[in-house]
mmCIF file of all heavy atoms in Angstrom:
data_model
loop_
_atom_site.group_PDB
_atom_site.id
_atom_site.type_symbol
_atom_site.label_atom_id
_atom_site.label_comp_id
_atom_site.label_asym_id
_atom_site.label_seq_id
_atom_site.Cartn_x
_atom_site.Cartn_y
_atom_site.Cartn_z
ATOM 1 N N LYS A 1 7.846 2.549 -1.592
ATOM 2 C CA LYS A 1 8.204 3.841 -0.963
ATOM 3 C C LYS A 1 8.460 4.914 -2.031
ATOM 4 O O LYS A 1 8.035 6.079 -1.871
ATOM 5 C CB LYS A 1 9.431 3.674 -0.081
ATOM 6 C CG LYS A 1 9.113 2.941 1.230
ATOM 7 C CD LYS A 1 10.120 3.214 2.302
ATOM 8 C CE LYS A 1 9.631 2.752 3.678
ATOM 9 N NZ LYS A 1 10.505 3.122 4.775
ATOM 10 N N SER A 2 9.110 4.510 -3.118
ATOM 11 C CA SER A 2 9.334 5.496 -4.202
ATOM 12 C C SER A 2 8.005 5.876 -4.820
ATOM 13 O O SER A 2 7.741 7.078 -5.089
ATOM 14 C CB SER A 2 10.239 4.841 -5.256
ATOM 15 O OG SER A 2 10.469 5.732 -6.322
ATOM 16 N N PHE A 3 7.138 4.919 -5.061
ATOM 17 C CA PHE A 3 5.803 5.157 -5.628
ATOM 18 C C PHE A 3 4.985 6.094 -4.726
ATOM 19 O O PHE A 3 4.386 7.044 -5.178
ATOM 20 C CB PHE A 3 5.150 3.824 -5.850
ATOM 21 C CG PHE A 3 3.732 3.882 -6.471
ATOM 22 C CD1 PHE A 3 3.400 4.874 -7.400
ATOM 23 C CD2 PHE A 3 2.806 2.879 -6.167
ATOM 24 C CE1 PHE A 3 2.156 4.896 -7.997
ATOM 25 C CE2 PHE A 3 1.558 2.898 -6.792
ATOM 26 C CZ PHE A 3 1.217 3.904 -7.652
ATOM 27 N N ALA A 4 4.987 5.795 -3.426
ATOM 28 C CA ALA A 4 4.225 6.578 -2.451
ATOM 29 C C ALA A 4 4.696 8.044 -2.462
ATOM 30 O O ALA A 4 3.873 8.971 -2.476
ATOM 31 C CB ALA A 4 4.370 6.004 -1.070
ATOM 32 N N LYS A 5 6.009 8.252 -2.513
ATOM 33 C CA LYS A 5 6.548 9.609 -2.494
ATOM 34 C C LYS A 5 6.128 10.358 -3.754
ATOM 35 O O LYS A 5 5.726 11.526 -3.709
ATOM 36 C CB LYS A 5 8.073 9.532 -2.410
ATOM 37 C CG LYS A 5 8.769 10.924 -2.424
ATOM 38 C CD LYS A 5 8.434 11.739 -1.183
ATOM 39 C CE LYS A 5 9.396 12.894 -0.966
ATOM 40 N NZ LYS A 5 9.508 13.800 -2.125
ATOM 41 N N LYS A 6 6.153 9.681 -4.878
ATOM 42 C CA LYS A 6 5.756 10.320 -6.163
ATOM 43 C C LYS A 6 4.278 10.636 -6.162
ATOM 44 O O LYS A 6 3.837 11.701 -6.630
ATOM 45 C CB LYS A 6 6.138 9.421 -7.328
ATOM 46 C CG LYS A 6 7.643 9.200 -7.525
ATOM 47 C CD LYS A 6 7.969 8.265 -8.668
ATOM 48 C CE LYS A 6 9.424 7.881 -8.675
ATOM 49 N NZ LYS A 6 10.328 9.017 -8.772
ATOM 50 N N LEU A 7 3.454 9.723 -5.600
ATOM 51 C CA LEU A 7 2.027 9.976 -5.498
ATOM 52 C C LEU A 7 1.738 11.199 -4.624
ATOM 53 O O LEU A 7 0.973 12.075 -4.994
ATOM 54 C CB LEU A 7 1.321 8.762 -4.920
ATOM 55 C CG LEU A 7 1.115 7.543 -5.842
ATOM 56 C CD1 LEU A 7 0.786 6.303 -5.003
ATOM 57 C CD2 LEU A 7 0.036 7.820 -6.878
ATOM 58 N N LEU A 8 2.370 11.289 -3.450
ATOM 59 C CA LEU A 8 2.167 12.385 -2.561
ATOM 60 C C LEU A 8 2.601 13.708 -3.181
ATOM 61 O O LEU A 8 1.915 14.721 -3.072
ATOM 62 C CB LEU A 8 2.922 12.141 -1.241
ATOM 63 C CG LEU A 8 2.337 11.044 -0.357
ATOM 64 C CD1 LEU A 8 3.369 10.566 0.651
ATOM 65 C CD2 LEU A 8 1.108 11.574 0.389
ATOM 66 N N ASP A 9 3.734 13.723 -3.865
ATOM 67 C CA ASP A 9 4.214 14.939 -4.527
ATOM 68 C C ASP A 9 3.287 15.355 -5.646
ATOM 69 O O ASP A 9 3.252 16.536 -6.001
ATOM 70 C CB ASP A 9 5.613 14.698 -5.074
ATOM 71 C CG ASP A 9 6.701 14.647 -3.991
ATOM 72 O OD1 ASP A 9 6.439 15.048 -2.868
ATOM 73 O OD2 ASP A 9 7.797 14.143 -4.279
ATOM 74 N N ASP A 10 2.529 14.406 -6.181
ATOM 75 C CA ASP A 10 1.612 14.705 -7.306
ATOM 76 C C ASP A 10 0.211 15.019 -6.815
ATOM 77 O O ASP A 10 -0.685 15.227 -7.642
ATOM 78 C CB ASP A 10 1.583 13.518 -8.271
ATOM 79 C CG ASP A 10 1.217 13.925 -9.684
ATOM 80 O OD1 ASP A 10 1.709 14.989 -10.164
ATOM 81 O OD2 ASP A 10 0.435 13.192 -10.318
ATOM 82 N N GLY A 11 -0.011 15.014 -5.507
ATOM 83 C CA GLY A 11 -1.297 15.427 -4.979
ATOM 84 C C GLY A 11 -2.225 14.314 -4.485
ATOM 85 O O GLY A 11 -3.331 14.579 -4.037
ATOM 86 N N TYR A 12 -1.792 13.064 -4.619
ATOM 87 C CA TYR A 12 -2.608 11.960 -4.083
ATOM 88 C C TYR A 12 -2.295 11.735 -2.600
ATOM 89 O O TYR A 12 -1.144 11.973 -2.149
ATOM 90 C CB TYR A 12 -2.259 10.645 -4.830
ATOM 91 C CG TYR A 12 -2.632 10.630 -6.292
ATOM 92 C CD1 TYR A 12 -1.701 10.993 -7.248
ATOM 93 C CD2 TYR A 12 -3.895 10.255 -6.706
ATOM 94 C CE1 TYR A 12 -2.024 10.993 -8.594
ATOM 95 C CE2 TYR A 12 -4.217 10.216 -8.049
ATOM 96 C CZ TYR A 12 -3.284 10.590 -8.996
ATOM 97 O OH TYR A 12 -3.592 10.584 -10.332
ATOM 98 N N ASP A 13 -3.295 11.290 -1.848
ATOM 99 C CA ASP A 13 -3.019 10.766 -0.500
ATOM 100 C C ASP A 13 -2.646 9.298 -0.661
ATOM 101 O O ASP A 13 -3.025 8.647 -1.654
ATOM 102 C CB ASP A 13 -4.248 10.920 0.388
ATOM 103 C CG ASP A 13 -4.584 12.362 0.649
ATOM 104 O OD1 ASP A 13 -3.689 13.226 0.542
ATOM 105 O OD2 ASP A 13 -5.742 12.653 0.953
ATOM 106 N N VAL A 14 -1.902 8.759 0.273
ATOM 107 C CA VAL A 14 -1.398 7.379 0.175
ATOM 108 C C VAL A 14 -1.695 6.614 1.460
ATOM 109 O O VAL A 14 -1.317 7.048 2.553
ATOM 110 C CB VAL A 14 0.118 7.356 -0.092
ATOM 111 C CG1 VAL A 14 0.658 5.923 -0.032
ATOM 112 C CG2 VAL A 14 0.397 7.977 -1.449
ATOM 113 N N LEU A 15 -2.340 5.466 1.320
ATOM 114 C CA LEU A 15 -2.501 4.517 2.396
ATOM 115 C C LEU A 15 -1.377 3.506 2.269
ATOM 116 O O LEU A 15 -1.445 2.606 1.398
ATOM 117 C CB LEU A 15 -3.867 3.814 2.336
ATOM 118 C CG LEU A 15 -4.146 2.785 3.444
ATOM 119 C CD1 LEU A 15 -4.249 3.462 4.815
ATOM 120 C CD2 LEU A 15 -5.409 2.021 3.116
ATOM 121 N N MET A 16 -0.358 3.623 3.074
ATOM 122 C CA MET A 16 0.841 2.755 3.001
ATOM 123 C C MET A 16 0.579 1.545 3.865
ATOM 124 O O MET A 16 0.575 1.605 5.096
ATOM 125 C CB MET A 16 2.072 3.518 3.486
ATOM 126 C CG MET A 16 3.371 2.862 3.096
ATOM 127 S SD MET A 16 3.696 3.078 1.341
ATOM 128 C CE MET A 16 5.388 2.532 1.292
ATOM 129 N N ILE A 17 0.308 0.394 3.191
ATOM 130 C CA ILE A 17 -0.025 -0.804 3.945
ATOM 131 C C ILE A 17 1.163 -1.327 4.735
ATOM 132 O O ILE A 17 1.030 -1.750 5.901
ATOM 133 C CB ILE A 17 -0.524 -1.880 2.961
ATOM 134 C CG1 ILE A 17 -1.771 -1.400 2.230
ATOM 135 C CG2 ILE A 17 -0.793 -3.178 3.721
ATOM 136 C CD1 ILE A 17 -2.971 -1.183 3.066
ATOM 137 N N ARG A 18 2.340 -1.283 4.156
ATOM 138 C CA ARG A 18 3.567 -1.700 4.852
ATOM 139 C C ARG A 18 4.665 -0.714 4.585
ATOM 140 O O ARG A 18 4.991 -0.459 3.411
ATOM 141 C CB ARG A 18 3.961 -3.138 4.383
ATOM 142 C CG ARG A 18 5.296 -3.596 4.954
ATOM 143 C CD ARG A 18 5.538 -5.067 4.719
ATOM 144 N NE ARG A 18 5.890 -5.390 3.365
ATOM 145 C CZ ARG A 18 7.148 -5.476 2.873
ATOM 146 N NH1 ARG A 18 8.178 -5.156 3.647
ATOM 147 N NH2 ARG A 18 7.354 -5.804 1.598
ATOM 148 N N GLU A 19 5.295 -0.179 5.619
ATOM 149 C CA GLU A 19 6.405 0.779 5.413
ATOM 150 C C GLU A 19 7.656 0.320 6.094
ATOM 151 O O GLU A 19 8.620 1.068 6.214
ATOM 152 C CB GLU A 19 5.979 2.169 5.908
ATOM 153 C CG GLU A 19 5.643 2.268 7.396
ATOM 154 C CD GLU A 19 5.676 3.722 7.855
ATOM 155 O OE1 GLU A 19 5.909 4.619 7.035
ATOM 156 O OE2 GLU A 19 5.506 3.917 9.078
ATOM 157 N N ASP A 20 7.676 -0.937 6.542
ATOM 158 C CA ASP A 20 8.864 -1.502 7.188
ATOM 159 C C ASP A 20 8.974 -2.955 6.739
ATOM 160 O O ASP A 20 8.198 -3.436 5.934
ATOM 161 C CB ASP A 20 8.746 -1.378 8.707
ATOM 162 C CG ASP A 20 10.068 -1.321 9.398
ATOM 163 O OD1 ASP A 20 11.090 -1.732 8.810
ATOM 164 O OD2 ASP A 20 10.103 -0.884 10.560
ATOM 165 N N SER A 21 10.004 -3.662 7.297
ATOM 166 C CA SER A 21 10.219 -5.027 6.871
ATOM 167 C C SER A 21 9.126 -5.993 7.290
ATOM 168 O O SER A 21 8.944 -7.055 6.729
ATOM 169 C CB SER A 21 11.576 -5.550 7.420
ATOM 170 O OG SER A 21 11.562 -5.474 8.834
ATOM 171 N N ASP A 22 8.322 -5.591 8.318
ATOM 172 C CA ASP A 22 7.270 -6.443 8.793
ATOM 173 C C ASP A 22 6.047 -5.602 9.141
ATOM 174 O O ASP A 22 6.136 -4.527 9.706
ATOM 175 C CB ASP A 22 7.680 -7.220 10.027
ATOM 176 C CG ASP A 22 6.554 -8.009 10.652
ATOM 177 O OD1 ASP A 22 6.146 -9.025 10.043
ATOM 178 O OD2 ASP A 22 6.076 -7.620 11.723
ATOM 179 N N VAL A 23 4.866 -6.110 8.734
ATOM 180 C CA VAL A 23 3.610 -5.573 9.263
ATOM 181 C C VAL A 23 2.693 -6.748 9.540
ATOM 182 O O VAL A 23 2.551 -7.666 8.723
ATOM 183 C CB VAL A 23 2.952 -4.592 8.262
ATOM 184 C CG1 VAL A 23 2.503 -5.256 6.962
ATOM 185 C CG2 VAL A 23 1.796 -3.852 8.918
ATOM 186 N N GLN A 24 2.081 -6.736 10.677
ATOM 187 C CA GLN A 24 1.235 -7.859 11.088
ATOM 188 C C GLN A 24 -0.178 -7.644 10.572
ATOM 189 O O GLN A 24 -1.147 -7.475 11.293
ATOM 190 C CB GLN A 24 1.273 -8.031 12.602
ATOM 191 C CG GLN A 24 2.585 -8.610 13.110
ATOM 192 C CD GLN A 24 2.817 -10.010 12.589
ATOM 193 O OE1 GLN A 24 2.090 -10.926 12.881
ATOM 194 N NE2 GLN A 24 3.861 -10.173 11.793
ATOM 195 N N LEU A 25 -0.295 -7.706 9.233
ATOM 196 C CA LEU A 25 -1.549 -7.618 8.538
ATOM 197 C C LEU A 25 -1.547 -8.661 7.435
ATOM 198 O O LEU A 25 -0.659 -8.638 6.552
ATOM 199 C CB LEU A 25 -1.747 -6.227 7.923
ATOM 200 C CG LEU A 25 -1.899 -5.047 8.869
ATOM 201 C CD1 LEU A 25 -1.844 -3.722 8.072
ATOM 202 C CD2 LEU A 25 -3.153 -5.119 9.679
ATOM 203 N N ASP A 26 -2.474 -9.602 7.466
ATOM 204 C CA ASP A 26 -2.524 -10.634 6.418
ATOM 205 C C ASP A 26 -3.175 -10.036 5.160
ATOM 206 O O ASP A 26 -3.586 -8.876 5.127
ATOM 207 C CB ASP A 26 -3.221 -11.905 6.890
ATOM 208 C CG ASP A 26 -4.677 -11.699 7.355
ATOM 209 O OD1 ASP A 26 -5.340 -10.776 6.859
ATOM 210 O OD2 ASP A 26 -5.154 -12.507 8.184
ATOM 211 N N ASN A 27 -3.242 -10.852 4.117
ATOM 212 C CA ASN A 27 -3.757 -10.337 2.828
ATOM 213 C C ASN A 27 -5.233 -9.885 2.933
ATOM 214 O O ASN A 27 -5.615 -8.934 2.220
ATOM 215 C CB ASN A 27 -3.583 -11.400 1.744
ATOM 216 C CG ASN A 27 -2.139 -11.592 1.359
ATOM 217 O OD1 ASN A 27 -1.336 -10.667 1.451
ATOM 218 N ND2 ASN A 27 -1.787 -12.790 0.973
ATOM 219 N N ILE A 28 -6.006 -10.551 3.748
ATOM 220 C CA ILE A 28 -7.397 -10.108 3.928
ATOM 221 C C ILE A 28 -7.445 -8.779 4.656
ATOM 222 O O ILE A 28 -8.154 -7.879 4.264
ATOM 223 C CB ILE A 28 -8.198 -11.194 4.680
ATOM 224 C CG1 ILE A 28 -8.336 -12.449 3.810
ATOM 225 C CG2 ILE A 28 -9.602 -10.654 5.033
ATOM 226 C CD1 ILE A 28 -9.015 -13.607 4.504
ATOM 227 N N ALA A 29 -6.704 -8.648 5.742
ATOM 228 C CA ALA A 29 -6.669 -7.394 6.507
ATOM 229 C C ALA A 29 -6.193 -6.250 5.624
ATOM 230 O O ALA A 29 -6.791 -5.156 5.648
ATOM 231 C CB ALA A 29 -5.765 -7.528 7.720
ATOM 232 N N ARG A 30 -5.157 -6.452 4.852
ATOM 233 C CA ARG A 30 -4.641 -5.418 3.946
ATOM 234 C C ARG A 30 -5.741 -4.971 2.986
ATOM 235 O O ARG A 30 -5.939 -3.767 2.745
ATOM 236 C CB ARG A 30 -3.439 -5.937 3.155
ATOM 237 C CG ARG A 30 -2.232 -6.310 4.026
ATOM 238 C CD ARG A 30 -1.067 -6.843 3.173
ATOM 239 N NE ARG A 30 -0.009 -7.371 4.013
ATOM 240 C CZ ARG A 30 1.269 -7.387 3.687
ATOM 241 N NH1 ARG A 30 1.639 -6.905 2.490
ATOM 242 N NH2 ARG A 30 2.185 -7.919 4.483
ATOM 243 N N THR A 31 -6.445 -5.942 2.410
ATOM 244 C CA THR A 31 -7.481 -5.647 1.423
ATOM 245 C C THR A 31 -8.648 -4.915 2.047
ATOM 246 O O THR A 31 -9.173 -3.935 1.502
ATOM 247 C CB THR A 31 -7.915 -6.927 0.719
ATOM 248 O OG1 THR A 31 -6.776 -7.512 0.083
ATOM 249 C CG2 THR A 31 -8.992 -6.650 -0.321
ATOM 250 N N VAL A 32 -9.090 -5.380 3.219
ATOM 251 C CA VAL A 32 -10.251 -4.765 3.848
ATOM 252 C C VAL A 32 -9.938 -3.334 4.334
ATOM 253 O O VAL A 32 -10.789 -2.444 4.207
ATOM 254 C CB VAL A 32 -10.713 -5.644 5.059
ATOM 255 C CG1 VAL A 32 -11.816 -4.911 5.850
ATOM 256 C CG2 VAL A 32 -11.247 -6.962 4.541
ATOM 257 N N ILE A 33 -8.729 -3.101 4.831
ATOM 258 C CA ILE A 33 -8.346 -1.749 5.203
ATOM 259 C C ILE A 33 -8.352 -0.867 3.967
ATOM 260 O O ILE A 33 -8.882 0.278 3.994
ATOM 261 C CB ILE A 33 -6.941 -1.715 5.880
ATOM 262 C CG1 ILE A 33 -7.027 -2.357 7.275
ATOM 263 C CG2 ILE A 33 -6.458 -0.281 5.991
ATOM 264 C CD1 ILE A 33 -5.665 -2.540 7.952
ATOM 265 N N ALA A 34 -7.799 -1.333 2.856
ATOM 266 C CA ALA A 34 -7.824 -0.584 1.613
ATOM 267 C C ALA A 34 -9.270 -0.288 1.169
ATOM 268 O O ALA A 34 -9.576 0.809 0.756
ATOM 269 C CB ALA A 34 -7.069 -1.307 0.543
ATOM 270 N N ASN A 35 -10.135 -1.313 1.246
ATOM 271 C CA ASN A 35 -11.528 -1.159 0.860
ATOM 272 C C ASN A 35 -12.179 0.028 1.560
ATOM 273 O O ASN A 35 -13.004 0.749 0.986
ATOM 274 C CB ASN A 35 -12.351 -2.417 1.195
ATOM 275 C CG ASN A 35 -12.033 -3.602 0.318
ATOM 276 O OD1 ASN A 35 -11.398 -3.485 -0.713
ATOM 277 N ND2 ASN A 35 -12.483 -4.762 0.754
ATOM 278 N N ASN A 36 -11.846 0.209 2.838
ATOM 279 C CA ASN A 36 -12.535 1.193 3.673
ATOM 280 C C ASN A 36 -11.803 2.546 3.747
ATOM 281 O O ASN A 36 -12.444 3.521 4.191
ATOM 282 C CB ASN A 36 -12.720 0.624 5.077
ATOM 283 C CG ASN A 36 -13.781 -0.425 5.115
ATOM 284 O OD1 ASN A 36 -14.952 -0.111 5.258
ATOM 285 N ND2 ASN A 36 -13.380 -1.690 4.977
ATOM 286 N N LYS A 37 -10.535 2.607 3.354
ATOM 287 C CA LYS A 37 -9.794 3.836 3.543
ATOM 288 C C LYS A 37 -9.123 4.370 2.287
ATOM 289 O O LYS A 37 -8.367 5.373 2.330
ATOM 290 C CB LYS A 37 -8.732 3.648 4.642
ATOM 291 C CG LYS A 37 -9.314 3.423 6.032
ATOM 292 C CD LYS A 37 -10.077 4.648 6.546
ATOM 293 C CE LYS A 37 -10.666 4.431 7.920
ATOM 294 N NZ LYS A 37 -11.347 5.654 8.437
ATOM 295 N N ALA A 38 -9.323 3.745 1.162
ATOM 296 C CA ALA A 38 -8.710 4.179 -0.104
ATOM 297 C C ALA A 38 -9.692 4.095 -1.267
ATOM 298 O O ALA A 38 -10.760 3.504 -1.145
ATOM 299 C CB ALA A 38 -7.470 3.284 -0.377
ATOM 300 N N ASP A 39 -9.275 4.709 -2.368
ATOM 301 C CA ASP A 39 -10.125 4.699 -3.602
ATOM 302 C C ASP A 39 -9.657 3.628 -4.562
ATOM 303 O O ASP A 39 -10.428 3.247 -5.438
ATOM 304 C CB ASP A 39 -10.047 6.068 -4.272
ATOM 305 C CG ASP A 39 -10.640 7.178 -3.384
ATOM 306 O OD1 ASP A 39 -11.850 7.131 -3.161
ATOM 307 O OD2 ASP A 39 -9.875 8.014 -2.907
ATOM 308 N N CYS A 40 -8.404 3.156 -4.448
ATOM 309 C CA CYS A 40 -7.936 2.043 -5.233
ATOM 310 C C CYS A 40 -6.797 1.370 -4.464
ATOM 311 O O CYS A 40 -6.251 1.929 -3.510
ATOM 312 C CB CYS A 40 -7.489 2.460 -6.633
ATOM 313 S SG CYS A 40 -5.949 3.462 -6.673
ATOM 314 N N HIS A 41 -6.465 0.154 -4.866
ATOM 315 C CA HIS A 41 -5.522 -0.677 -4.096
ATOM 316 C C HIS A 41 -4.533 -1.335 -5.102
ATOM 317 O O HIS A 41 -4.952 -2.050 -6.009
ATOM 318 C CB HIS A 41 -6.306 -1.753 -3.354
ATOM 319 C CG HIS A 41 -5.487 -2.745 -2.602
ATOM 320 N ND1 HIS A 41 -6.027 -3.863 -2.065
ATOM 321 C CD2 HIS A 41 -4.165 -2.793 -2.344
ATOM 322 C CE1 HIS A 41 -5.101 -4.580 -1.452
ATOM 323 N NE2 HIS A 41 -3.978 -3.955 -1.614
ATOM 324 N N ILE A 42 -3.249 -1.056 -4.920
ATOM 325 C CA ILE A 42 -2.204 -1.599 -5.806
ATOM 326 C C ILE A 42 -1.223 -2.367 -4.950
ATOM 327 O O ILE A 42 -0.538 -1.830 -4.074
ATOM 328 C CB ILE A 42 -1.512 -0.501 -6.589
ATOM 329 C CG1 ILE A 42 -2.505 0.254 -7.436
ATOM 330 C CG2 ILE A 42 -0.387 -1.121 -7.464
ATOM 331 C CD1 ILE A 42 -1.955 1.481 -8.093
ATOM 332 N N ALA A 43 -1.127 -3.692 -5.160
ATOM 333 C CA ALA A 43 -0.148 -4.541 -4.492
ATOM 334 C C ALA A 43 1.023 -4.758 -5.410
ATOM 335 O O ALA A 43 0.863 -5.081 -6.613
ATOM 336 C CB ALA A 43 -0.785 -5.864 -4.106
ATOM 337 N N ILE A 44 2.212 -4.563 -4.890
ATOM 338 C CA ILE A 44 3.467 -4.609 -5.689
ATOM 339 C C ILE A 44 4.175 -5.945 -5.453
ATOM 340 O O ILE A 44 4.451 -6.298 -4.295
ATOM 341 C CB ILE A 44 4.370 -3.417 -5.327
ATOM 342 C CG1 ILE A 44 3.683 -2.114 -5.731
ATOM 343 C CG2 ILE A 44 5.726 -3.578 -5.986
ATOM 344 C CD1 ILE A 44 4.321 -0.880 -5.202
ATOM 345 N N HIS A 45 4.469 -6.626 -6.536
ATOM 346 C CA HIS A 45 5.120 -7.969 -6.478
ATOM 347 C C HIS A 45 6.081 -8.143 -7.641
ATOM 348 O O HIS A 45 6.073 -7.392 -8.604
ATOM 349 C CB HIS A 45 4.073 -9.064 -6.544
ATOM 350 C CG HIS A 45 3.238 -9.226 -5.303
ATOM 351 N ND1 HIS A 45 3.585 -10.046 -4.260
ATOM 352 C CD2 HIS A 45 2.034 -8.629 -4.944
ATOM 353 C CE1 HIS A 45 2.664 -9.971 -3.331
ATOM 354 N NE2 HIS A 45 1.728 -9.141 -3.726
ATOM 355 N N PHE A 46 6.881 -9.229 -7.569
ATOM 356 C CA PHE A 46 7.644 -9.762 -8.688
ATOM 357 C C PHE A 46 7.349 -11.251 -8.760
ATOM 358 O O PHE A 46 7.142 -11.911 -7.737
ATOM 359 C CB PHE A 46 9.143 -9.531 -8.464
ATOM 360 C CG PHE A 46 9.582 -8.126 -8.691
ATOM 361 C CD1 PHE A 46 9.388 -7.158 -7.706
ATOM 362 C CD2 PHE A 46 10.212 -7.730 -9.851
ATOM 363 C CE1 PHE A 46 9.780 -5.866 -7.849
ATOM 364 C CE2 PHE A 46 10.603 -6.414 -10.050
ATOM 365 C CZ PHE A 46 10.433 -5.463 -9.053
ATOM 366 N N ASP A 47 7.325 -11.805 -9.993
ATOM 367 C CA ASP A 47 6.998 -13.201 -10.194
ATOM 368 C C ASP A 47 8.205 -14.095 -9.855
ATOM 369 O O ASP A 47 9.357 -13.620 -9.763
ATOM 370 C CB ASP A 47 6.614 -13.409 -11.646
ATOM 371 C CG ASP A 47 5.963 -14.750 -11.938
ATOM 372 O OD1 ASP A 47 5.078 -15.142 -11.166
ATOM 373 O OD2 ASP A 47 6.393 -15.385 -12.892
ATOM 374 N N SER A 48 7.949 -15.392 -9.675
ATOM 375 C CA SER A 48 9.023 -16.335 -9.279
ATOM 376 C C SER A 48 9.710 -17.006 -10.440
ATOM 377 O O SER A 48 10.591 -17.860 -10.257
ATOM 378 C CB SER A 48 8.443 -17.402 -8.339
ATOM 379 O OG SER A 48 7.427 -18.130 -9.024
#
């Protein structure tokens, strides 16, 4: 959310894959939506 806000303020459009605690989109769906509606795709994680 912080990244998205900074991107929007800097002039980028943002495809927010998940903006709540749950979204019913698996990893394939997330990637395919990004493929068709965005110019790049960044998934945010932390290692275990």
Side-chain angles (χ1 to χ4, degrees):
K1 287 202 167 186
S2 179
F3 183 31
K5 180 65 163 57
K6 295 179 191 301
L7 285 165
L8 288 161
D9 288 343
D10 206 40
Y12 295 93
D13 295 336
V14 173
L15 180 67
M16 196 72 169
I17 301 294
R18 175 168 74 90
E19 61 164 2
D20 207 340
S21 60
D22 175 72
V23 66
Q24 288 297 296
L25 295 171
D26 61 26
N27 289 330
I28 293 175
R30 297 179 189 209
T31 300
V32 172
I33 291 173
N35 288 346
N36 287 274
K37 293 295 180 178
D39 296 292
C40 69
H41 176 190
I42 300 170
I44 296 168
H45 289 270
F46 286 78
D47 192 47
S48 59

